[in-house]
Amino acid sequence: MKTLIKNGLIVDGLLNKPFKGEVLIEGDKIAKIGTNINEKAENVIDAKGRVVCPGFVDTHSHSDLMMLVNPYNEVKIRQGITTEVLGQDGISMAPLPKEFISPWRKNLAGLDGESDEIDWGYETTDNYLKLMEKQGVGLNESYLVPHGNIRMESMGLVDAPATKEQIAKMCEITEREMKAGAFGLSSGLIYIPCAYSRTDELIEMCKVVAKYDGVFVVHQRSEADTIVDSMEEIIKIGRESGVKIHFSHFKVCGKQNWKYIDDMERLLDEGEKEGLKISYDQYPYAAGSTMLGVILPPWAHDGGTDNLMKRLDDEECRKRMKEDMANGIPGWDNFIEFAGIDQIFVTSVKTEKNKDVIGKSLKEIGEMRGKDPLDATFDLLRDEENAVGMVDFYGLEEHVIKFLKRPEQNVCTDGLLSGKPHPRAYGAFPRILGRYVRELKVLSLEEAVHKMSKKATDALSIKNRGSLEVGNFADIVIFNQDTVIDKGTFVDSTQFPEGIDYVIVNGTVVLEEGTYHKVLPGTVIRRK
């Protein structure tokens, strides 16, 4: 089947000057791009007054479980995303040895949700990807093998440095999963069990990833008080392993830490001069979102969620947690310190019992329960078995803009999709086009499209996508430059954006004049 898109403003993702032209799609590929394509097509789309550009690429997504439960992913399609990168933050679906299924589901729930509808017995990345391939996917899905899953398979969930033998086992597992098609290794060095690792462990694993020209995608150990040391650790890993570095959701948290921004930029500049390959992604909001359990000191999670539940029931452990939150632990990102109990809001819970706290701050939850806010929060985490999501406010828009403009940057959502999510899950990409291109003129149109498409595929080494070029897969977005904008707010976040009119995935129209077609034309992309 042929589809002809005519009369549109072509923005190709390659930073070339936009031009009015046409795009011809044959099957799942782009066949022609020009100003006067004289061919008949079964489907003709008149894009007059609108922009035609590559489909957007979400390099930090948490749809890992959802794609097996609800593979259509309309939330992402409606903001123009045609490709996602799963397996983020070092904790995801695979690999998952059968003996760890129960504790791992609890550990994962705060990020990716929970479900009894799927068969959790897939064990390896290859089998996990095959499940998605068998069921079908609404957009293109790629995968990073998660450090935490690898560490769990090698040595369990204990708070301990890895031995040489255990590191060797981690390297074997990493190689197995890279051969299965992973695009790299992810880690979340504030999440369990990744937080228990030492630098040498990551260097050895990244040597394996570098052998396959993969990328190390990392939520670094600190985005607050010790962010400079944290960045230096990641750069050391890149230098000594030869791996490409990609910082997840790049930012600095807390007013007291904004002074480090110049040093952060200096480290990026020095890395470029040294010849290191460094990139990062960013969502365009001055607030973050993750699982609420990260407010607890790392020792509280030792041994997994079941042990955490016991500690949350122990008054002496609670006292120690409060002391650590008040005094801090060197190298630990203390969310209570840099955001505060009045700027951390619950976004999702697992049970009906606690639905009333969704949208409430930790301070408000304490008032609702008639308790000290931290005790009320400990109760909530215990009752929900740690499956609680949150939003935290940490920065300023001027800092968002500073990092947005840097050449290392590409766009992501980092969207948790359960409950009442952060508005980035529904609107990160349209927000770039509406606020930062049209309203504030921070980026040109071609710069923004590049950062949402080709820059992202280059960072992850995803081939034949991310740009409008003959022979590439036909992942295409058509949007109205005058109206495109995100609509979600922190009060009412689950609103679809405006101005995204058409989305095409592998040559199939999935969004047409704002009407979503429930189809599964995506593909599971494996590194080759």
Side-chain angles (χ1 to χ4, degrees):
M1 179 177 173
K2 294 182 181 180
T3 297
L4 178 64
I5 304 170
K6 63 180 186 179
N7 300 325
L9 181 67
I10 308 297
V11 182
D12 62 11
L14 298 168
L15 293 173
N16 291 317
K17 184 178 179 181
F19 67 95
K20 289 185 179 180
E22 301 177 347
V23 178
L24 180 68
I25 301 167
E26 291 188 15
D28 62 354
K29 301 283 183 62
I30 297 172
K32 292 182 181 181
I33 302 172
T35 55
N36 187 22
I37 299 174
N38 189 22
E39 285 205 31
K40 291 184 178 180
E42 294 91 330
N43 184 29
V44 177
I45 298 173
D46 187 352
K48 185 176 181 179
R50 293 180 280 196
V51 173
V52 180
C53 71
F56 304 145
V57 180
D58 186 359
T59 55
H60 195 107
S61 173
H62 288 286
S63 307
D64 311 49
L65 173 60
M66 189 195 76
M67 293 311 298
L68 296 178
V69 177
N70 178 13
Y72 298 98
N73 211 339
E74 183 181 359
V75 168
K76 295 297 183 71
I77 289 289
R78 282 192 174 273
Q79 57 177 303
I81 295 167
T82 58
T83 299
E84 292 187 295
V85 183
L86 308 176
Q88 298 290 349
D89 290 324
I91 50 174
S92 185
M93 297 290 286
L96 180 54
K98 290 183 178 178
E99 64 267 30
F100 290 109
I101 290 174
S102 178
W104 194 249
R105 285 175 65 172
K106 294 173 183 176
N107 193 45
L108 185 62
L111 275 184
D112 291 346
E114 173 64 296
S115 176
D116 291 322
E117 296 179 32
I118 70 165
D119 179 2
W120 289 84
Y122 47 80
E123 295 191 281
T124 65
T125 291
D126 183 46
N127 288 334
Y128 166 65
L129 297 180
K130 283 177 178 176
L131 281 178
M132 283 197 288
E133 288 169 337
K134 181 178 179 181
Q135 180 172 271
V137 286
L139 61 164
N140 306 308
E141 303 291 348
S142 57
Y143 195 68
L144 302 166
V145 58
H147 172 209
N149 293 64
I150 294 170
R151 196 173 211 270
M152 176 178 61
E153 182 173 339
S154 172
M155 58 182 292
L157 297 168
V158 295
D159 181 358
T163 65
K164 288 184 178 180
E165 292 76 18
Q166 288 168 334
I167 291 174
K169 178 64 174 176
M170 291 183 213
C171 290
E172 289 177 15
I173 298 166
T174 302
E175 182 133 24
R176 181 190 76 202
E177 306 303 63
M178 290 298 294
K179 286 180 177 178
F183 280 83
L185 173 74
S186 81
S187 190
L189 294 172
I190 70 166
Y191 299 117
I192 307 306
C194 308
Y196 302 143
S197 66
R198 306 288 175 86
T199 308
D200 61 335
E201 173 182 322
L202 289 160
I203 289 171
E204 294 306 310
M205 296 172 74
C206 283
K207 286 178 181 177
V208 177
V209 176
K211 186 171 73 171
Y212 291 92
D213 193 32
V215 61
F216 179 42
V217 179
V218 59
H219 179 144
Q220 57 184 316
R221 216 173 285 274
S222 175
E223 295 180 326
D225 297 15
T226 57
I227 191 166
V228 175
D229 291 342
S230 177
M231 285 186 66
E232 288 175 342
E233 178 191 24
I234 304 306
I235 289 169
K236 178 182 179 180
I237 291 167
R239 181 184 298 119
E240 296 191 15
S241 70
V243 78
K244 294 179 289 189
I245 298 165
H246 186 83
F247 289 97
S248 294
H249 41 63
F250 197 65
K251 60 181 176 293
V252 62
C253 300
K255 185 176 182 179
Q256 71 275 22
N257 300 315
W258 297 344
K259 61 189 177 186
Y260 297 127
I261 289 175
D262 288 345
D263 286 328
M264 294 166 66
E265 293 199 287
R266 172 182 57 79
L267 288 171
L268 293 173
D269 293 338
E270 290 175 354
E272 181 186 13
K273 290 177 183 177
E274 188 180 339
L276 301 177
K277 295 179 179 177
I278 302 176
S279 57
Y280 62 80
D281 51 40
Q282 175 199 31
Y283 48 81
Y285 301 84
S289 179
T290 186
M291 59 176 81
L292 184 61
V294 300
I295 71 166
L296 304 176
W299 61 263
H301 296 271
D302 185 13
T305 302
D306 290 335
N307 287 341
L308 172 62
M309 296 302 100
K310 295 174 184 176
R311 295 183 184 110
L312 288 171
D313 256 341
D314 185 299
E315 287 302 321
E316 285 302 312
C317 286
R318 285 192 177 207
K319 181 180 177 183
R320 183 182 167 193
M321 291 178 201
K322 289 179 182 179
E323 289 173 352
D324 286 342
M325 290 173 178
N327 302 320
I329 299 173
W332 171 54
D333 271 9
N334 186 348
F335 280 73
I336 297 297
E337 178 189 31
F338 70 68
I341 59 172
D342 60 336
Q343 292 299 307
I344 297 175
F345 295 81
V346 170
T347 59
S348 65
V349 295
K350 184 170 70 171
T351 71
E352 288 295 326
K353 172 185 175 182
N354 288 307
K355 293 282 188 184
D356 61 332
V357 304
I358 292 177
K360 304 297 183 182
S361 71
L362 302 191
K363 181 180 180 181
E364 290 171 323
I365 292 170
E367 293 168 353
M368 290 167 64
R369 300 293 191 249
K371 293 184 176 182
D372 171 80
L374 290 180
D375 279 317
T377 302
F378 297 157
D379 290 348
L380 176 65
L381 287 167
R382 179 198 61 204
D383 294 348
E384 298 296 318
E385 295 186 302
N386 199 33
V388 184
M390 75 169 192
V391 162
D392 60 291
F393 291 83
Y394 58 76
L396 297 175
E397 186 176 43
E398 67 185 76
H399 302 149
V400 171
I401 291 171
K402 180 181 282 286
F403 293 136
L404 177 63
K405 293 169 69 174
R406 285 195 62 97
E408 300 90 350
Q409 190 265 5
N410 69 259
V411 182
C412 73
T413 67
D414 190 15
L416 312 187
L417 299 173
S418 300
K420 192 173 189 177
H422 190 299
R424 67 193 185 194
Y426 279 69
F429 286 78
R431 181 173 177 80
I432 293 287
L433 295 168
R435 179 149 184 80
Y436 296 106
V437 175
R438 185 179 65 244
E439 294 177 0
L440 298 184
K441 296 179 173 54
V442 170
L443 299 173
S444 69
L445 179 59
E446 53 266 40
E447 285 173 331
V449 168
H450 174 71
K451 285 174 173 289
M452 296 194 289
S453 56
K454 188 68 165 99
K455 180 69 178 69
T457 56
D458 283 350
L460 275 294
S461 297
I462 297 173
K463 308 299 183 185
N464 303 119
R465 300 182 193 273
S467 58
L468 298 183
E469 297 181 82
V470 172
N472 274 5
F473 289 98
D475 297 335
I476 297 175
V477 175
I478 302 173
F479 66 88
N480 187 323
Q481 189 179 357
D482 296 328
T483 63
V484 64
I485 195 67
D486 62 317
K487 299 295 290 183
T489 67
F490 287 99
V491 175
D492 185 7
S493 61
T494 55
Q495 298 186 65
F496 291 128
E498 290 183 358
I500 303 292
D501 296 335
Y502 285 83
V503 177
I504 299 170
V505 178
N506 295 317
T508 297
V509 178
V510 293
L511 189 72
E512 184 174 12
E513 293 291 4
T515 298
Y516 174 66
H517 300 309
K518 201 172 184 180
V519 290
L520 299 173
T523 188
V524 176
I525 309 170
R526 298 186 188 230
R527 183 199 51 77
K528 295 180 180 178

